[in-house]
Amino acid sequence: MKNRKKIATVWLGGCSGCHMSFLDIDERILDIIQLADIVKSPIVDQKEFPYVDLALVEGSVTCDEHLAEIKNIRAKSKMLIAFGDCAVMTNVTGMRNYFPLNEVLDTSYVNAISNDEGGESPSHPCLMKLNDKAVPLQEVVTVDFVIPGCPPDADTIFYVLQEFLNDRTPNLSTAHKLKYG
Ligand code: SF4
């Protein structure tokens, strides 16, 4: 019998859509848990990031907290997968990169309020402070594999997991053929 593997899924600067697509594998999650334990995920109440075989990371790196998190994940993951287009190339989260950060914040929080008092940017110390630019994972850590898409479709996610959990390297052109012929 194969050794059971450990999987983590992580949500950095993303919208959670990639994780929603992961949940769309539906009952096939039972095939996954035959081979692996999901030990860290937004749906698992585990505070520390454990050592894992596979880490699927959604979203870009948008602040210093994300940077520290992805470095810790990299150090503890045998295989780090950029999960979805925001992780691969910043995608939606990188649209703000074309503008100065203060303009983005003013547009989002100050100018968007139309009453006479206007709005103000949230400044609570517990809130993360955005860096000037969102960056993709491979700009700050080594990435071993990418699952593209916004979000990636559930069949592709399932295919990639099945391949890695059976010690094979996924071929995304094969996954495309399986789905579309
Ligand atoms: S790739 Fe798309 S679905 Fe995934 S986090 Fe980014 S915007 Fe959301």
PDB file of all heavy atoms in Angstrom, residues 11-21 58-60 83-88 90-93 147-152, ligand 1:
ATOM      1  N   TRP A  11      -5.031  30.010   0.750  1.00  0.00           N
ATOM      2  CA  TRP A  11      -5.693  31.124   0.080  1.00  0.00           C
ATOM      3  C   TRP A  11      -4.926  32.399   0.443  1.00  0.00           C
ATOM      4  O   TRP A  11      -5.016  32.876   1.557  1.00  0.00           O
ATOM      5  CB  TRP A  11      -7.141  31.151   0.559  1.00  0.00           C
ATOM      6  CG  TRP A  11      -7.993  32.284   0.137  1.00  0.00           C
ATOM      7  CD1 TRP A  11      -7.723  33.258  -0.765  1.00  0.00           C
ATOM      8  CD2 TRP A  11      -9.313  32.555   0.621  1.00  0.00           C
ATOM      9  NE1 TRP A  11      -8.784  34.115  -0.879  1.00  0.00           N
ATOM     10  CE2 TRP A  11      -9.769  33.698  -0.043  1.00  0.00           C
ATOM     11  CE3 TRP A  11     -10.143  31.932   1.549  1.00  0.00           C
ATOM     12  CZ2 TRP A  11     -11.034  34.245   0.209  1.00  0.00           C
ATOM     13  CZ3 TRP A  11     -11.389  32.476   1.794  1.00  0.00           C
ATOM     14  CH2 TRP A  11     -11.828  33.615   1.118  1.00  0.00           C
ATOM     15  N   LEU A  12      -4.148  32.919  -0.508  1.00  0.00           N
ATOM     16  CA  LEU A  12      -3.475  34.216  -0.288  1.00  0.00           C
ATOM     17  C   LEU A  12      -4.341  35.308  -0.916  1.00  0.00           C
ATOM     18  O   LEU A  12      -5.523  35.398  -0.624  1.00  0.00           O
ATOM     19  CB  LEU A  12      -2.050  34.182  -0.872  1.00  0.00           C
ATOM     20  CG  LEU A  12      -1.088  33.151  -0.267  1.00  0.00           C
ATOM     21  CD1 LEU A  12       0.291  33.260  -0.900  1.00  0.00           C
ATOM     22  CD2 LEU A  12      -0.987  33.280   1.235  1.00  0.00           C
ATOM     23  N   GLY A  13      -3.745  36.147  -1.812  1.00  0.00           N
ATOM     24  CA  GLY A  13      -4.532  37.233  -2.402  1.00  0.00           C
ATOM     25  C   GLY A  13      -5.380  36.734  -3.555  1.00  0.00           C
ATOM     26  O   GLY A  13      -4.986  36.835  -4.716  1.00  0.00           O
ATOM     27  N   GLY A  14      -6.524  36.177  -3.229  1.00  0.00           N
ATOM     28  CA  GLY A  14      -7.447  35.667  -4.242  1.00  0.00           C
ATOM     29  C   GLY A  14      -8.874  35.855  -3.768  1.00  0.00           C
ATOM     30  O   GLY A  14      -9.110  36.365  -2.670  1.00  0.00           O
ATOM     31  N   CYS A  15      -9.806  35.403  -4.595  1.00  0.00           N
ATOM     32  CA  CYS A  15     -11.224  35.666  -4.284  1.00  0.00           C
ATOM     33  C   CYS A  15     -11.915  34.449  -3.688  1.00  0.00           C
ATOM     34  O   CYS A  15     -13.114  34.487  -3.433  1.00  0.00           O
ATOM     35  CB  CYS A  15     -11.957  36.096  -5.546  1.00  0.00           C
ATOM     36  SG  CYS A  15     -12.249  34.736  -6.693  1.00  0.00           S
ATOM     37  N   SER A  16     -11.193  33.341  -3.535  1.00  0.00           N
ATOM     38  CA  SER A  16     -11.674  32.034  -3.066  1.00  0.00           C
ATOM     39  C   SER A  16     -12.327  31.225  -4.177  1.00  0.00           C
ATOM     40  O   SER A  16     -12.732  30.085  -3.963  1.00  0.00           O
ATOM     41  CB  SER A  16     -12.618  32.133  -1.850  1.00  0.00           C
ATOM     42  OG  SER A  16     -13.959  32.323  -2.252  1.00  0.00           O
ATOM     43  N   GLY A  17     -12.416  31.802  -5.377  1.00  0.00           N
ATOM     44  CA  GLY A  17     -13.041  31.070  -6.484  1.00  0.00           C
ATOM     45  C   GLY A  17     -12.315  29.776  -6.819  1.00  0.00           C
ATOM     46  O   GLY A  17     -12.936  28.779  -7.201  1.00  0.00           O
ATOM     47  N   CYS A  18     -10.984  29.774  -6.680  1.00  0.00           N
ATOM     48  CA  CYS A  18     -10.238  28.542  -6.969  1.00  0.00           C
ATOM     49  C   CYS A  18     -10.602  27.464  -5.951  1.00  0.00           C
ATOM     50  O   CYS A  18     -10.715  26.286  -6.296  1.00  0.00           O
ATOM     51  CB  CYS A  18      -8.735  28.822  -6.944  1.00  0.00           C
ATOM     52  SG  CYS A  18      -8.184  29.914  -8.276  1.00  0.00           S
ATOM     53  N   HIS A  19     -10.764  27.867  -4.695  1.00  0.00           N
ATOM     54  CA  HIS A  19     -11.188  26.881  -3.688  1.00  0.00           C
ATOM     55  C   HIS A  19     -12.626  26.409  -3.940  1.00  0.00           C
ATOM     56  O   HIS A  19     -12.948  25.240  -3.711  1.00  0.00           O
ATOM     57  CB  HIS A  19     -11.057  27.474  -2.279  1.00  0.00           C
ATOM     58  CG  HIS A  19      -9.698  27.276  -1.684  1.00  0.00           C
ATOM     59  ND1 HIS A  19      -8.632  28.072  -1.999  1.00  0.00           N
ATOM     60  CD2 HIS A  19      -9.228  26.325  -0.835  1.00  0.00           C
ATOM     61  CE1 HIS A  19      -7.562  27.644  -1.341  1.00  0.00           C
ATOM     62  NE2 HIS A  19      -7.897  26.588  -0.630  1.00  0.00           N
ATOM     63  N   MET A  20     -13.475  27.314  -4.416  1.00  0.00           N
ATOM     64  CA  MET A  20     -14.845  26.891  -4.752  1.00  0.00           C
ATOM     65  C   MET A  20     -14.801  25.827  -5.850  1.00  0.00           C
ATOM     66  O   MET A  20     -15.561  24.852  -5.833  1.00  0.00           O
ATOM     67  CB  MET A  20     -15.679  28.079  -5.238  1.00  0.00           C
ATOM     68  CG  MET A  20     -15.931  29.152  -4.207  1.00  0.00           C
ATOM     69  SD  MET A  20     -16.828  28.533  -2.787  1.00  0.00           S
ATOM     70  CE  MET A  20     -15.595  28.659  -1.522  1.00  0.00           C
ATOM     71  N   SER A  21     -13.898  26.014  -6.804  1.00  0.00           N
ATOM     72  CA  SER A  21     -13.762  25.042  -7.891  1.00  0.00           C
ATOM     73  C   SER A  21     -13.216  23.715  -7.357  1.00  0.00           C
ATOM     74  O   SER A  21     -13.614  22.638  -7.812  1.00  0.00           O
ATOM     75  CB  SER A  21     -12.837  25.620  -8.962  1.00  0.00           C
ATOM     76  OG  SER A  21     -13.118  25.078 -10.207  1.00  0.00           O
ATOM     77  N   GLU A  58      -3.631  29.323  -3.769  1.00  0.00           N
ATOM     78  CA  GLU A  58      -4.454  30.258  -4.550  1.00  0.00           C
ATOM     79  C   GLU A  58      -4.035  31.692  -4.249  1.00  0.00           C
ATOM     80  O   GLU A  58      -3.738  32.033  -3.108  1.00  0.00           O
ATOM     81  CB  GLU A  58      -5.937  30.085  -4.147  1.00  0.00           C
ATOM     82  CG  GLU A  58      -6.832  31.193  -4.707  1.00  0.00           C
ATOM     83  CD  GLU A  58      -8.260  31.172  -4.124  1.00  0.00           C
ATOM     84  OE1 GLU A  58      -8.813  30.085  -3.906  1.00  0.00           O
ATOM     85  OE2 GLU A  58      -8.790  32.269  -3.899  1.00  0.00           O
ATOM     86  N   GLY A  59      -4.050  32.538  -5.276  1.00  0.00           N
ATOM     87  CA  GLY A  59      -3.892  33.969  -5.056  1.00  0.00           C
ATOM     88  C   GLY A  59      -2.453  34.453  -5.196  1.00  0.00           C
ATOM     89  O   GLY A  59      -1.496  33.676  -5.179  1.00  0.00           O
ATOM     90  N   SER A  60      -2.333  35.760  -5.336  1.00  0.00           N
ATOM     91  CA  SER A  60      -1.013  36.369  -5.480  1.00  0.00           C
ATOM     92  C   SER A  60      -0.493  36.824  -4.116  1.00  0.00           C
ATOM     93  O   SER A  60      -1.178  36.704  -3.095  1.00  0.00           O
ATOM     94  CB  SER A  60      -1.109  37.563  -6.445  1.00  0.00           C
ATOM     95  OG  SER A  60      -1.981  38.532  -5.902  1.00  0.00           O
ATOM     96  N   PHE A  83      -1.966  27.714  -7.890  1.00  0.00           N
ATOM     97  CA  PHE A  83      -3.322  27.220  -8.100  1.00  0.00           C
ATOM     98  C   PHE A  83      -4.195  28.372  -8.628  1.00  0.00           C
ATOM     99  O   PHE A  83      -4.664  29.211  -7.862  1.00  0.00           O
ATOM    100  CB  PHE A  83      -3.827  26.706  -6.741  1.00  0.00           C
ATOM    101  CG  PHE A  83      -5.201  26.131  -6.713  1.00  0.00           C
ATOM    102  CD1 PHE A  83      -5.773  25.521  -7.814  1.00  0.00           C
ATOM    103  CD2 PHE A  83      -5.944  26.185  -5.532  1.00  0.00           C
ATOM    104  CE1 PHE A  83      -7.047  24.988  -7.761  1.00  0.00           C
ATOM    105  CE2 PHE A  83      -7.211  25.657  -5.468  1.00  0.00           C
ATOM    106  CZ  PHE A  83      -7.770  25.054  -6.583  1.00  0.00           C
ATOM    107  N   GLY A  84      -4.351  28.424  -9.950  1.00  0.00           N
ATOM    108  CA  GLY A  84      -5.193  29.462 -10.548  1.00  0.00           C
ATOM    109  C   GLY A  84      -4.396  30.650 -11.041  1.00  0.00           C
ATOM    110  O   GLY A  84      -3.231  30.865 -10.668  1.00  0.00           O
ATOM    111  N   ASP A  85      -5.032  31.435 -11.903  1.00  0.00           N
ATOM    112  CA  ASP A  85      -4.318  32.508 -12.607  1.00  0.00           C
ATOM    113  C   ASP A  85      -3.789  33.616 -11.693  1.00  0.00           C
ATOM    114  O   ASP A  85      -2.789  34.255 -12.018  1.00  0.00           O
ATOM    115  CB  ASP A  85      -5.227  33.122 -13.675  1.00  0.00           C
ATOM    116  CG  ASP A  85      -5.352  32.226 -14.896  1.00  0.00           C
ATOM    117  OD1 ASP A  85      -4.578  31.247 -15.006  1.00  0.00           O
ATOM    118  OD2 ASP A  85      -6.233  32.491 -15.746  1.00  0.00           O
ATOM    119  N   CYS A  86      -4.434  33.880 -10.569  1.00  0.00           N
ATOM    120  CA  CYS A  86      -3.893  34.921  -9.675  1.00  0.00           C
ATOM    121  C   CYS A  86      -2.543  34.483  -9.114  1.00  0.00           C
ATOM    122  O   CYS A  86      -1.625  35.295  -9.000  1.00  0.00           O
ATOM    123  CB  CYS A  86      -4.863  35.224  -8.532  1.00  0.00           C
ATOM    124  SG  CYS A  86      -6.327  36.123  -9.061  1.00  0.00           S
ATOM    125  N   ALA A  87      -2.421  33.209  -8.764  1.00  0.00           N
ATOM    126  CA  ALA A  87      -1.144  32.693  -8.260  1.00  0.00           C
ATOM    127  C   ALA A  87      -0.097  32.652  -9.363  1.00  0.00           C
ATOM    128  O   ALA A  87       1.080  32.912  -9.141  1.00  0.00           O
ATOM    129  CB  ALA A  87      -1.350  31.300  -7.675  1.00  0.00           C
ATOM    130  N   VAL A  88      -0.546  32.354 -10.593  1.00  0.00           N
ATOM    131  CA  VAL A  88       0.386  32.174 -11.714  1.00  0.00           C
ATOM    132  C   VAL A  88       0.868  33.513 -12.263  1.00  0.00           C
ATOM    133  O   VAL A  88       2.036  33.695 -12.581  1.00  0.00           O
ATOM    134  CB  VAL A  88      -0.287  31.353 -12.829  1.00  0.00           C
ATOM    135  CG1 VAL A  88       0.631  31.218 -14.045  1.00  0.00           C
ATOM    136  CG2 VAL A  88      -0.691  29.967 -12.330  1.00  0.00           C
ATOM    137  N   THR A  90      -0.873  36.896 -11.330  1.00  0.00           N
ATOM    138  CA  THR A  90      -1.602  37.943 -10.559  1.00  0.00           C
ATOM    139  C   THR A  90      -3.019  38.199 -11.081  1.00  0.00           C
ATOM    140  O   THR A  90      -3.893  38.558 -10.295  1.00  0.00           O
ATOM    141  CB  THR A  90      -0.850  39.285 -10.407  1.00  0.00           C
ATOM    142  OG1 THR A  90      -0.863  40.015 -11.627  1.00  0.00           O
ATOM    143  CG2 THR A  90       0.548  39.103  -9.865  1.00  0.00           C
ATOM    144  N   ASN A  91      -3.230  38.136 -12.393  1.00  0.00           N
ATOM    145  CA  ASN A  91      -4.605  38.125 -12.911  1.00  0.00           C
ATOM    146  C   ASN A  91      -5.429  39.297 -12.352  1.00  0.00           C
ATOM    147  O   ASN A  91      -4.986  40.439 -12.392  1.00  0.00           O
ATOM    148  CB  ASN A  91      -5.217  36.754 -12.559  1.00  0.00           C
ATOM    149  CG  ASN A  91      -6.531  36.460 -13.212  1.00  0.00           C
ATOM    150  OD1 ASN A  91      -6.754  36.836 -14.334  1.00  0.00           O
ATOM    151  ND2 ASN A  91      -7.416  35.773 -12.515  1.00  0.00           N
ATOM    152  N   VAL A  92      -6.589  39.039 -11.815  1.00  0.00           N
ATOM    153  CA  VAL A  92      -7.472  40.101 -11.314  1.00  0.00           C
ATOM    154  C   VAL A  92      -6.791  40.908 -10.210  1.00  0.00           C
ATOM    155  O   VAL A  92      -6.883  42.137 -10.173  1.00  0.00           O
ATOM    156  CB  VAL A  92      -8.795  39.494 -10.782  1.00  0.00           C
ATOM    157  CG1 VAL A  92      -9.661  40.576 -10.165  1.00  0.00           C
ATOM    158  CG2 VAL A  92      -9.536  38.768 -11.895  1.00  0.00           C
ATOM    159  N   THR A  93      -6.070  40.210  -9.325  1.00  0.00           N
ATOM    160  CA  THR A  93      -5.470  40.921  -8.190  1.00  0.00           C
ATOM    161  C   THR A  93      -4.334  41.840  -8.629  1.00  0.00           C
ATOM    162  O   THR A  93      -3.937  42.732  -7.882  1.00  0.00           O
ATOM    163  CB  THR A  93      -4.934  39.931  -7.135  1.00  0.00           C
ATOM    164  OG1 THR A  93      -4.038  39.021  -7.776  1.00  0.00           O
ATOM    165  CG2 THR A  93      -6.058  39.155  -6.493  1.00  0.00           C
ATOM    166  N   ILE A 147      -1.473  25.209 -12.119  1.00  0.00           N
ATOM    167  CA  ILE A 147      -2.799  24.841 -12.629  1.00  0.00           C
ATOM    168  C   ILE A 147      -3.448  26.152 -13.074  1.00  0.00           C
ATOM    169  O   ILE A 147      -3.906  26.943 -12.238  1.00  0.00           O
ATOM    170  CB  ILE A 147      -3.679  24.160 -11.560  1.00  0.00           C
ATOM    171  CG1 ILE A 147      -2.958  22.988 -10.905  1.00  0.00           C
ATOM    172  CG2 ILE A 147      -4.991  23.690 -12.188  1.00  0.00           C
ATOM    173  CD1 ILE A 147      -3.780  22.277  -9.825  1.00  0.00           C
ATOM    174  N   PRO A 148      -3.450  26.433 -14.376  1.00  0.00           N
ATOM    175  CA  PRO A 148      -3.993  27.715 -14.833  1.00  0.00           C
ATOM    176  C   PRO A 148      -5.514  27.708 -14.824  1.00  0.00           C
ATOM    177  O   PRO A 148      -6.159  26.667 -14.705  1.00  0.00           O
ATOM    178  CB  PRO A 148      -3.449  27.823 -16.262  1.00  0.00           C
ATOM    179  CG  PRO A 148      -3.229  26.415 -16.696  1.00  0.00           C
ATOM    180  CD  PRO A 148      -2.946  25.598 -15.468  1.00  0.00           C
ATOM    181  N   GLY A 149      -6.075  28.913 -14.996  1.00  0.00           N
ATOM    182  CA  GLY A 149      -7.528  29.035 -15.090  1.00  0.00           C
ATOM    183  C   GLY A 149      -8.048  30.007 -14.052  1.00  0.00           C
ATOM    184  O   GLY A 149      -7.435  30.227 -13.017  1.00  0.00           O
ATOM    185  N   CYS A 150      -9.178  30.607 -14.358  1.00  0.00           N
ATOM    186  CA  CYS A 150      -9.798  31.575 -13.444  1.00  0.00           C
ATOM    187  C   CYS A 150     -11.302  31.290 -13.360  1.00  0.00           C
ATOM    188  O   CYS A 150     -12.072  31.940 -14.032  1.00  0.00           O
ATOM    189  CB  CYS A 150      -9.538  32.998 -13.914  1.00  0.00           C
ATOM    190  SG  CYS A 150     -10.310  34.270 -12.851  1.00  0.00           S
ATOM    191  N   PRO A 151     -11.665  30.350 -12.495  1.00  0.00           N
ATOM    192  CA  PRO A 151     -10.785  29.447 -11.761  1.00  0.00           C
ATOM    193  C   PRO A 151     -10.448  28.239 -12.619  1.00  0.00           C
ATOM    194  O   PRO A 151     -11.097  28.015 -13.646  1.00  0.00           O
ATOM    195  CB  PRO A 151     -11.673  29.018 -10.575  1.00  0.00           C
ATOM    196  CG  PRO A 151     -13.053  29.003 -11.161  1.00  0.00           C
ATOM    197  CD  PRO A 151     -13.099  30.136 -12.162  1.00  0.00           C
ATOM    198  N   PRO A 152      -9.463  27.421 -12.206  1.00  0.00           N
ATOM    199  CA  PRO A 152      -9.254  26.144 -12.889  1.00  0.00           C
ATOM    200  C   PRO A 152     -10.521  25.306 -12.754  1.00  0.00           C
ATOM    201  O   PRO A 152     -11.216  25.402 -11.743  1.00  0.00           O
ATOM    202  CB  PRO A 152      -8.105  25.500 -12.104  1.00  0.00           C
ATOM    203  CG  PRO A 152      -7.500  26.586 -11.288  1.00  0.00           C
ATOM    204  CD  PRO A 152      -8.572  27.599 -11.047  1.00  0.00           C
TER     205      PRO A 152
HETATM  206  S1  SF4 B   1      -7.790  32.870 -10.410  1.00  0.00           S
HETATM  207 FE1  SF4 B   1      -9.884  33.699 -10.586  1.00  0.00          FE
HETATM  208  S2  SF4 B   1     -11.107  32.394  -9.246  1.00  0.00           S
HETATM  209 FE2  SF4 B   1      -8.953  32.076  -8.647  1.00  0.00          FE
HETATM  210  S3  SF4 B   1      -8.566  33.555  -6.982  1.00  0.00           S
HETATM  211 FE3  SF4 B   1      -8.014  34.575  -8.910  1.00  0.00          FE
HETATM  212  S4  SF4 B   1      -9.873  35.708  -9.536  1.00  0.00           S
HETATM  213 FE4  SF4 B   1     -10.481  34.185  -8.024  1.00  0.00          FE
END
